[in-house]
Amino acid sequence: MAEPTATDRIFPTLTPGQIARIAAHGKARPIRPGEILVEAGDQGPPFFVVTEGGIEIVRPAGDTETLVVLHGPGQFTGEVNMLSGRRSLVRARATEPGEVIELDHDNLMALVQTDPELSEILMRAFILRRVELIAAGVGDVVLVGSAHCAGTLRVKEFLTRNGHPYNYIDLDRETDVQALLDRFQVGEGDIPFLICRGDRVLRHPTNEQIADCLGFNEAIDTAHLRDVVIIGAGPSGLAAAVYGASEGLDVLVLESSAPGGQAGSSSKIENYLGFPTGISGQELTARAYNQAQKFGAQLMVAKGARRLACVRKPYAIEIGDGPRIPARTVIIATGAEYRRLSLPNLSQFEGAGIYYGATFIEAQLCGGEEVIVVGGGNSAGQAAIFLAQTARRVHMLVRSGGLADTMSRYLIRRIEQSPSIVLRTHTEVVALEGSSHLERVRWQDRQSGEVETHAIRHVFVMTGAAPSTKWLDGCIVLDEKGFIKTGPDLSKEELAEAEWPLARPPYLLETSLPGVFAVGDVRGGNIKRVASAVGEGSIAIAFVHRVLQE
Ligand SMILES: Cc1cc2nc3c(=O)[nH]c(=O)nc-3n(C[C@H](O)[C@H](O)[C@H](O)COP(=O)(O)OP(=O)(O)OC[C@H]3O[C@@H](n4cnc5c(N)ncnc54)[C@H](O)[C@@H]3O)c2cc1C
């Protein structure tokens, strides 16, 4: 039999046996020519398999349409939003009289969770179709911004990490956008702005406003009591979601930004098991996100936990002025936040010359230029090696006398071998200069006291992170650095003071509050690696089962 082509994988034709298995989960119904089966913007659209006739998928723009694909007998509609229940980006219309099998979201989820062969065909097609939509910029968002604007970078990252396609108009390159700006009366302070779902204009929006406009969280019932609410969608939270949902738990993940966590800002993770040539953090976590959704976990984005109501059970998680989300058990996977340089005007340049991640997006901004990487840990080493591929020169600034104590040996060797990386020991950044974008950096040799000024416009700060635990507000025992204490690390005295109510001691990864677990970088004593975060996320689920049975 011939190998399937790329088109076969994106738009496969199902066998009669496969169609019969799908039919068992849905209902057959006739279609009329011109009948709209899904409208662009419909939330949680149904899934259709054509058994007779045809369905065209078009992308509407004003009064015109662009044909995306024509599905014939044996082919099916849908892409990634079928799993998330988010809004449709395209219109589906019958082209001739015929018949389809229709499945709603719940029945489709039941199908992919119980039929491994169809699950693989559908998942692969949905993901490849989304990749095509992203590559073609087919979406319901136009982002207008500038590479010199921190907000633009943030919004790009938010949309990218949510796997949401968008078109980008770069104000620095497009000289002809004035008419567009006038039409929407957009001033400099309104940049970036977003044209959302056709005509709604969001000026300098927050991630939450974008998520609301695009309906990212619309399909989620916040009043429903979950078996487990996971807070944070980095590797540890996503692992807990995959294992929890795949083992039949009712899982909701709350994420204050977008899925991926710190790992999402890593250009290439080379030490995660099973990826000998490395994988970008974004790709790894995007896969995990789809996997969690496949098993039925739900994910709320741009909704951070502000407080844990921990006095009585079920616990409740407050998300701003919005609802309190009830939970039988809670997994805290909020990771850590980047340490910042203590310079008075730092925030002026964040995203406009100061970056905390070195991904493809940032690398594009500084191609052919000199850049600085601050820090001597593994993330700094990876960033320097990655940036050296596109930057003219990478200055690595470390306060200590060398890298040996803080960085893996393989990275040190690559840094030494790279002609475009210059290691500057005993050196720190002492001043930043510029207006709308960073233009110059001053650094000081701590031994000689000598200060040099360099016309460098990009600084990557890779100096570690502090735990995201302030929001817990005394509910849970923390260590002296603010990381969460769990299991055997909690002393008898600490448990007594926290009024631990059970005869048994806390399980491994359980905090001083029964049924509340901590995993990944936010946990005291955690090894700050993707693998350990993923491992802890999966282990916590085993204990969640035990708590739910108590
Ligand atoms: C640049 C870089 C490169 C790295 N490279 C590697 C590598 O090559 N190999 C390796 O093993 N490790 C690497 N690491 C470390 C690895 O990424 C972390 O150990 C891992 O991401 C920790 O996962 P986590 O899920 O515990 O936390 P995080 O990844 O920090 O995720 C926490 C998530 O919680 C969210 N959150 C925080 N507060 C709240 C709240 N109140 N409500 C809701 N959500 C919240 C955050 O937005 C975030 O998405 C790297 C780290 C960085 C920064």
Side-chain angles (χ1 to χ4, degrees):
M1 209 167 73
E3 276 287 299
T5 64
T7 310
D8 294 339
R9 287 199 178 91
I10 304 177
F11 303 111
T13 301
L14 302 170
T15 64
Q18 290 165 341
I19 294 173
R21 298 208 304 272
I22 295 176
H25 288 266
K27 60 174 196 292
R29 73 164 182 90
I31 48 172
R32 289 171 283 105
E35 182 184 349
I36 307 270
L37 301 171
V38 177
E39 187 51 275
D42 279 0
Q43 195 217 315
F47 167 79
F48 296 99
V49 181
V50 182
T51 48
E52 195 189 326
I55 298 177
E56 61 182 356
I57 305 298
V58 297
R59 178 190 165 208
D63 295 336
T64 61
E65 288 180 342
T66 314
L67 180 67
V68 178
V69 68
L70 186 65
H71 294 307
Q75 296 188 308
F76 55 87
T77 62
E79 52 99 29
V80 164
N81 60 2
M82 286 282 157
L83 302 178
S84 61
R86 288 184 184 172
R87 289 178 184 278
S88 175
L89 299 172
V90 292
R91 177 181 291 155
R93 181 170 47 218
T95 52
E96 51 186 302
E99 194 178 75
V100 292
I101 300 165
E102 179 175 345
L103 271 69
D104 65 16
H105 178 257
D106 289 350
N107 282 321
L108 177 67
M109 296 306 288
L111 173 72
V112 296
Q113 284 161 25
T114 52
D115 190 318
E117 188 199 18
L118 282 167
S119 166
E120 190 183 315
I121 295 170
L122 264 51
M123 277 292 288
R124 188 173 55 207
F126 290 167
I127 291 170
L128 292 175
R129 288 174 190 181
R130 176 54 69 106
V131 170
E132 291 275 298
L133 291 175
I134 290 174
V138 175
D140 45 5
V141 176
V142 178
L143 171 66
V144 183
S146 155
H148 306 298
C149 155
T152 302
L153 199 63
R154 171 183 53 81
V155 173
K156 273 183 160 187
E157 189 176 306
F158 181 68
L159 292 169
T160 305
R161 283 205 190 190
N162 273 293
H164 198 88
Y166 64 95
N167 278 300
Y168 177 56
I169 296 178
D170 185 348
L171 288 173
D172 306 320
R173 292 198 188 148
E174 305 287 333
T175 49
D176 200 23
V177 288
Q178 196 56 51
L180 188 92
L181 296 186
D182 291 345
R183 183 172 160 210
F184 292 104
Q185 289 152 16
V186 175
E188 209 176 299
D190 296 325
I191 302 297
F193 79 88
L194 227 99
I195 304 171
C196 172
R197 299 180 51 209
D199 57 359
R200 239 187 101 190
V201 174
L202 299 179
R203 292 158 197 257
H204 200 82
T206 61
N207 291 348
E208 191 171 357
Q209 287 169 325
I210 299 171
D212 287 346
C213 182
L214 294 174
F216 281 174
N217 301 319
E218 274 173 4
I220 294 169
D221 175 4
T222 48
H224 176 62
L225 174 63
R226 316 274 166 164
D227 293 331
V228 55
V229 173
I230 299 164
I231 305 167
S236 62
L238 288 170
V242 167
Y243 283 89
S246 69
E247 291 169 20
L249 298 179
D250 187 352
V251 177
L252 175 67
V253 185
L254 299 177
E255 167 54 54
S256 55
S257 176
Q262 294 170 71
S265 63
S266 171
S267 43
K268 199 166 194 185
I269 297 171
E270 290 191 64
N271 56 359
Y272 188 61
L273 191 74
F275 294 91
T277 53
I279 182 166
S280 81
Q282 212 157 294
E283 195 183 342
L284 183 71
T285 50
R287 287 178 186 210
Y289 177 33
N290 285 325
Q291 201 174 5
Q293 286 185 324
K294 173 183 116 168
F295 289 121
Q298 289 192 306
L299 197 137
M300 250 182 142
V301 294
K303 295 281 179 199
R306 299 260 173 93
R307 201 175 144 256
L308 176 65
C310 57
V311 176
R312 69 176 68 87
K313 279 187 164 181
Y315 300 122
I317 296 109
E318 293 180 8
I319 47 171
D321 303 333
R324 287 159 59 107
I325 297 179
R328 290 195 179 93
T329 65
V330 177
I331 297 180
I332 301 169
T334 47
E337 276 169 22
Y338 308 110
R339 284 219 176 80
R340 303 160 89 227
L341 300 177
S342 61
L343 297 169
N345 58 351
L346 180 81
S347 58
Q348 182 188 337
F349 300 115
E350 281 177 322
I354 297 284
Y355 315 101
Y356 296 94
T359 68
F360 185 65
I361 295 177
E362 289 84 10
Q364 275 180 323
L365 298 177
C366 52
E369 296 189 47
E370 292 198 33
V371 306
I372 293 172
V373 172
V374 180
N378 281 348
S379 56
Q382 284 172 1
I385 291 162
F386 174 67
L387 293 166
Q389 295 167 19
T390 44
R392 183 151 54 86
R393 177 158 300 149
V394 180
H395 302 269
M396 264 201 99
L397 270 49
V398 293
R399 281 153 56 120
S400 66
L403 301 174
D405 294 341
T406 49
M407 195 180 286
S408 302
R409 240 190 299 143
Y410 81 98
L411 288 173
I412 298 179
R413 224 175 297 131
R414 284 199 207 160
I415 287 167
E416 286 166 353
Q417 283 163 1
S418 171
S420 44
I421 303 179
V422 184
L423 177 64
R424 298 183 183 279
T425 55
H426 300 294
T427 306
E428 65 182 335
V429 175
V430 290
L432 304 170
E433 293 171 6
S435 52
S436 62
H437 194 278
L438 180 66
E439 283 159 25
R440 281 171 305 283
V441 176
R442 273 194 238 174
W443 68 57
Q444 182 174 36
D445 183 316
R446 282 153 58 93
Q447 285 184 318
S448 66
E450 200 180 312
V451 176
E452 295 177 22
T453 305
H454 291 263
I456 293 180
R457 294 162 29 83
H458 306 282
V459 176
F460 293 83
V461 182
M462 302 284 175
T463 48
S468 305
T469 49
K470 285 207 182 83
W471 63 280
L472 286 166
D473 197 23
C475 259
I476 281 173
V477 175
L478 308 177
D479 69 14
E480 67 287 353
K481 289 186 179 156
F483 290 88
I484 299 175
K485 280 194 154 191
T486 54
D489 291 346
L490 287 157
S491 67
K492 277 199 180 124
E493 295 71 34
E494 282 168 331
L495 288 174
E497 205 175 318
E499 297 176 10
W500 175 260
L502 305 178
R504 66 162 176 84
Y507 292 126
L508 191 75
L509 307 179
E510 195 171 22
T511 67
S512 55
L513 208 54
V516 177
F517 298 84
V519 295
D521 282 15
V522 76
R523 198 180 67 79
N526 163 274
I527 309 297
K528 309 251 171 312
R529 294 279 183 280
V530 173
S532 53
V534 168
E536 289 183 13
S538 70
I539 294 168
I541 291 298
F543 293 110
V544 163
H545 284 296
R546 286 200 209 169
V547 170
L548 290 174
Q549 281 161 13
E550 276 172 359

